Amino acid sequence: MKRFGFHRAAREEANAAAKHYAAISPALGERFYELVEQLVTEIALAPQRYRQFAPPARRHFGSDFP
């Protein structure tokens, strides 16, 4: 698996979103966190499948959360 890291702003945004969803429902916050982990793992396993938007950063979206 390819090594990865989060840009500081992306990490802050993901943390804020997780807190938002957890405030609505702890289960919803957990679903969000699990989806982020799944998406990151998919990119790390096959980075060439996902579009670069600010090289070397790549973007991959899930369909469950806006």
Side-chain angles (χ1 to χ4, degrees):
M1 183 175 349
K2 188 166 178 80
R3 292 182 63 184
F4 67 89
F6 278 96
H7 184 279
R8 181 180 44 83
R11 182 177 35 253
E12 290 171 0
E13 183 178 349
N15 288 340
K19 287 178 184 177
H20 168 77
Y21 290 121
I24 295 169
S25 160
L28 188 60
E30 183 66 25
R31 277 185 42 219
F32 177 80
Y33 179 79
E34 289 172 359
L35 176 62
V36 170
E37 287 216 333
Q38 174 190 340
L39 296 174
V40 169
T41 298
E42 290 173 2
I43 292 173
L45 289 172
Q48 67 284 357
R49 291 184 60 197
Y50 304 99
R51 181 175 69 86
Q52 284 188 326
F53 69 96
R58 294 186 184 268
R59 184 174 285 171
H60 183 20
F61 294 101
S63 60
D64 294 345
F65 294 90

